[in-house]
Amino acid sequence: MTGFAYHAPTSVAETLALLGDHARAGRRAQVLAGGTDVLVQLRGVDRTPRALVDIKGLAEVNRLHVGADHVFIGAAIPSAHLNENAELARLYPGLMEAADLIGSTQIQGRASVGGNLCNASPAGDTIPALIAVGARCVIATASGTRELPVEAFVTGVGRNALVSGELLLGLSLPRPGAATADAYLRFTPRTEMDIAVAGCGVSVTLDAGGVCTAARVGIGAVAPTALLVEAAAAALVGTRLDEAALNAAGAACSSAASPITDKRGTADYRRKVVGVLCRRAVGIARDRVLAHRA
Amino acid sequence: MAEAVDYKAIGTSPVRPDGVDKVTGRAQYGADLNLPGQIYGKVLRSPHAHARILKIDTSRALALPGVYGVITGQDFPEAEGGEIGGEGGGDVSDLAKNIMARDKVLYHGHAVAAVAAKSLSVAQAALDAISVEYEVLAPVLDLESAMAPGATLIDPSCFTKNLPEKPTAPSNIAAVMKLGRGNVEEGFAQADVIVEGEYRIPMAHQGYIEPHACIASCNEQGQATVWCCTQGHFEFRAMTAKVLRMHIADLKFIASEIGGGFGGKTVIYLEPLAVMLSRKSRRPVKMAMTREEVFRATGPTSGTLARIRVGARKDGTLTAATAWLAYEAGAYAGAPMGPGAMTVFAPYILPNFAVEAFDVLLNKPKVAAYRAPGAPQSMYAMECAMDELAERLGMDPIDLRLKNAAEEGTQAPYGPKFPAIGLKACLNAAKAHPNYTRPLPAGAGRGMAVGFWFNVGMQSSAEVHINEDGTVTIVEGSPDIGGSRASMALMASETLGIPYERIKVIIGDTESAGFSNVTGGSRTTFATGMAVIRACEDIIAQCKSRAASTWGIDADQVDWRDGAAIPAPGVNAALKPLALADIAAGAPKTGGPLLGRASLNAQGAGAGFSVNLADIRVDPETGKVDVLSFTAIQDAGKAIHPAYVEGQMQGGAVQGLGWALNEEYIYDANGVMQNAGFLDYRMPVASDLPMIDTVIVEVPNPTHPYGVRGVGETPIVAPLATAANAVSRATGVRMRDLPLSPPRVLEALEAAGR
Amino acid sequence: MDKIQIGTSINGEAVEFLCEPQQSLLEVLRDTLGRTGTKEGCSTGDCGACSVLMDGRLVCACLVLAAEAGGHEITTIEGLATDAGLHPIQQKFLEHAALQCGICTPGLIVATKALLDRHPDPDETTIRYWLAGNLCRCTGYDKIIRAVQDAARSLAHPA
């Protein structure tokens, strides 16, 4: 009568079959991980009936694996679980900061990095942080799997690169060496329980002399999608991450931004603040590398 | 000042009588009751801020299986005119139209129809099946446009009230109010320094966590019982009776526990709809608002535009002040401009002043009371101006206030002379407080401001039942929002001389308790407390007479001490005291049950003053404001339950800080609120705040038996200016528009070249 | 109607219920099962009034589908007190006057339990950030924080 259905498949194959069946029948199906975005939308802006496909019973999307070269984070792992993992906190302090900023303790008990990514909000906190660490999306398709860099996964406000019948399994992150560290900062008027007005994730690699040899900068909430800002990275590489370099990277972020004015902030404000966040985040990441060495 | 008294119960902070039920989830709030056979009501709301309703077609909704009734404005009786009374104020026919639009919708979210159905999902489907044709009109969304000549009229039959000459043309200015004394021009001529400024305070919501909810059950005779969360079930009953043209006696209202109100639950929204839907469906109808509905369709408080001019001599003596205050009423008249005008200069001795205030209609929800309604807005402006004056004079801001502070005998700007008040005591406590004298943290600014609220008395009733074993049940009619049962029990314990634990306090329904006005106006501990004390005194008199008859002596030969009747000094000393329990046990033989009663219209609510201090730091690159410390100092007269008095001070401080820093109604050009949820209507969360230090000053109110002043409302008044003054002193830039949200602060800093 | 049958455990007791696929755990707890101790303040996960524990993890019941509760253990405010009396957290909220209207109190107490189960000795900042998802409009949080600190002491050193 309500037109809603709930499915809890137990394998990737079963999930893909279910999604495929719905697509072929022209029925709407929506993947459910933590549900912290889906349930809110269901009650407000988007009340149309659909099948909810709960993927939390799949082993693959709950898999966390720290390998020698790569780390795999299953798409449905709640951020609270990630934050409690000491190894992840050591390897990706910035990404974990971002995951720790998603909503409240209660939200973190459910919300997943994969869900944050698929929801494709311009303000999703983990997206710039994932971009900064060079994460790639691992996607199950009818014929196997495919991978996409995070910055190519989100294609617009609320839109992602998954095509009908595909499922995001998780994220593959290059494992950083001791000379690399990341950081994430976002700005919100409240300390918690808020949506980013601007966000910036960075990752920097320093050589023994303290010169930056590689950098990645992702910004969020200042454009329809989170962006990889190569100009900001270029401003950092080859410098000692001194004030001038930080200012240049910040300026690059501000000019890469194309924000809107809304209830959360003005375009002008967002443009300025994303530059401030970049400067501060690079400083934090740099200090993290140096602290490793000390 | 009254002498210090040693109390046994008063001034202690025991666990509240209703506490266990509230920490275990047993306590029943508005949405917690379910009746057998109940169905669910929901409201269809206007998608336009201003529109004429051309046609409503409910036929498709009525045809849905499981739909038991649909109502629209056409189903309501023609509303009678007349004042509502109580703290909300306003006109009955406006109230009726606010509950359900008739020919026009006046704000986005205005109710246009309601349905009752077997489940919430069917009710929602029924709402979706109602079609409404509108002729969309231009919305009026800000004070300047609303007040401008030639403005689009919200209500073409609205002519400005209180003008010296009857106006010939309608206006969005529903009423004006003027107050004054002395000669303002002469006063300013005597001033060495004059500051003036224009201040903007946004529309803000009370933000109670419990959405409005009720259940109504109507019988075939048209008699209805309504169970709801309310600050005043008697007034809800009267309002519902007026809107539905029913006899008051045909309505029974039962107040549930209430999950916050702050003034917002002093007016009805759902109750008459539920009664009508129950009458149509002959089933109990349950209705509860969503959070979004609470924001869009219940009364926030007025956004305000305030212009202040204050002059002083070099030594700080104020010579003159003027205030121009425009308050947003929302869709119907009744903004709190009166209290705003009366409080703006209340803390100061001012020989010359003039206040002009406006009640202005626009296409926003009709405002409702919010904690000290009107005062935070006007006093924000004045207290910022005083801070600026102190800076210009090179004076300590507390010294400037002390120089001009009202005291006992000062004629208040609104008329009467103040009896004993605690303003100077609060200012002196602030000046001596370590949070004021210690060095300023690096990069921070220290702000202070004064707060004031009249407090009110009004009507209350109480009954004191002495049970057979001498325990006590008190029945009164003031919903307990913040621990008032504990205050009542403490005052009864003190008066009767029996332990607090033997007293139970009940909030009776409209058929089992005597009439009481709303829990509002900071009146409950004062006025209902006075009724409880008088009812206890009634019991003591009865007990003395029962003891006298037992002992065979005259009643005036009996004293009451420590919960027992004793012979008066000089009377037969061999008589053993008769404790309350003994008298209760013997009651059948001495005249029957012991029942004490009092009902009164309490006069002489003592005015409440406060002083707040804050240390605040501003991030110069993002404009973010951090509150490092906050101190609330307030005259409580006598704190009956100090922990709950502190709680009022701390809670009001944080509500005020929220309003100062981030809370505001944000509208788009069509009059649609953009932040109708707790995510984007940013009330402070725990991590935004430091501990809130408190100092309770006690200057007893001479008209209350224990010296009580109301404490609930004053706390929200001073934090707005305290925060703004601290930000100004931290940054060197004076920002007059609230909230001091990061984008606004950064913009101001950049404009000032910081 | 396409209702689903769900078996779960609530406060240690096996419970079965029927729910619609899109219904939240909060709706089922309050309306179907009559467990109204868990409060509804927003239904969008922004106020924390409906905080419950799911397998010991703090969640908002409004953001969990009732269907998702199948096979999990749910703890609500009604499950905290025991035959021995109130839970120490409940007792400390009372003693510190950490509630005024009380509507946020069940959620705050459940959230505090989740905090102290993981961090028995939290500092003030940890408490404030952990509880940031629980709005209270009455108290200004001061007395709540003190009650939590005292509850932590009381749990560490039972009288």
Side-chain angles (χ1 to χ4, degrees), chain B residues 191-208:
Chain B
D192 296 309
V193 178
I194 296 174
V195 298
E196 51 191 317
E198 181 174 287
Y199 300 82
R200 234 169 255 277
I201 304 95
M203 183 170 261
H205 201 272
Q206 298 86 350
Y208 34 82

Side-chain angles (χ1 to χ4, degrees), chain B residues 371-503:
Chain B
R371 221 167 182 166
Q377 294 97 322
S378 62
M379 292 187 71
Y380 161 70
M382 177 59 179
E383 288 301 296
C384 289
M386 287 294 282
D387 198 57
E388 207 173 331
L389 195 58
E391 281 186 323
R392 295 269 299 276
L393 290 165
M395 270 181 92
D396 175 278
I398 295 182
D399 287 341
L400 175 64
R401 268 93 169 173
L402 277 168
K403 178 108 197 158
N404 297 286
E407 56 193 339
E408 185 168 356
T410 301
Q411 194 181 7
Y414 51 90
K417 285 191 170 155
F418 283 121
I421 52 172
L423 174 57
K424 281 192 167 172
C426 289
L427 285 164
N428 285 321
K431 210 175 168 195
H433 198 283
N435 289 357
Y436 195 68
T437 54
R438 69 180 172 168
L440 199 58
R446 181 163 294 158
M448 64 82 52
V450 169
F452 163 76
W453 185 246
F454 319 93
N455 301 323
V456 302
M458 307 208 290
Q459 304 176 86
S460 285
S461 307
E463 284 187 0
V464 176
H465 301 257
I466 307 302
N467 302 317
E468 302 92 298
D469 61 354
T471 58
V472 174
T473 304
I474 294 174
V475 181
E476 43 103 347
S478 298
D480 179 354
I481 305 194
S484 62
R485 287 182 184 91
S487 307
M488 300 304 146
L490 283 169
M491 287 184 275
S493 166
E494 192 70 48
T495 309
L496 293 172
I498 62 164
Y500 171 84
E501 293 74 20
R502 287 193 208 158
I503 301 165

Side-chain angles (χ1 to χ4, degrees), chain B residues 532-543 595-598:
Chain B
V532 167
I533 294 164
R534 297 290 177 237
C536 288
E537 288 167 351
D538 181 12
I539 280 293
I540 291 170
Q542 293 179 41
C543 285
L595 166 60
R597 288 193 303 195

Side-chain angles (χ1 to χ4, degrees), chain A residues 151-166:
Chain A
E151 55 271 26
F153 181 80
V154 179
T155 53
V157 177
R159 292 205 316 270
N160 61 49
L162 293 178
V163 298
S164 171
E166 289 187 332

Side-chain angles (χ1 to χ4, degrees), chain A residues 66-114:
Chain A
V66 181
D69 302 323
H70 285 86
V71 171
F72 180 83
I73 297 176
I77 302 175
S79 59
H81 291 245
L82 301 178
N83 289 323
E84 287 165 8
N85 185 305
E87 199 166 18
L88 287 182
R90 191 175 55 78
L91 292 172
Y92 307 104
L95 177 59
M96 291 306 112
E97 280 158 357
D100 192 37
L101 285 170
I102 302 175
S104 58
T105 316
Q106 286 86 338
I107 302 291
Q108 287 159 26
R110 303 291 287 171
S112 63
V113 173

Side-chain angles (χ1 to χ4, degrees), chain B residues 13-23 29 257-258 480-487 500 641 644, chain C residues 93-95 97-102 105:
Chain B
S13 295
V15 167
R16 61 197 285 170
D18 52 329
V20 170
D21 283 356
K22 286 183 173 161
V23 298
Y29 291 80
E257 295 303 325
I258 173 171
D480 179 354
I481 305 194
S484 62
R485 287 182 184 91
S487 307
Y500 171 84
H641 188 296
Y644 280 115
Chain C
F93 267 64
L94 288 179
E95 289 172 11
L99 56 145
Q100 285 176 32
C101 82
T105 308

Side-chain angles (χ1 to χ4, degrees), chain B residues 23 29 32 206 646 663, chain C residues 30 39 90 101 137 143:
Chain B
V23 298
Y29 291 80
D32 293 344
Q206 298 86 350
E646 290 168 5
E663 293 179 31
Chain C
R30 289 179 53 80
K39 304 302 178 189
Q90 294 172 315
C101 82
R137 191 60 158 172
K143 294 188 189 302

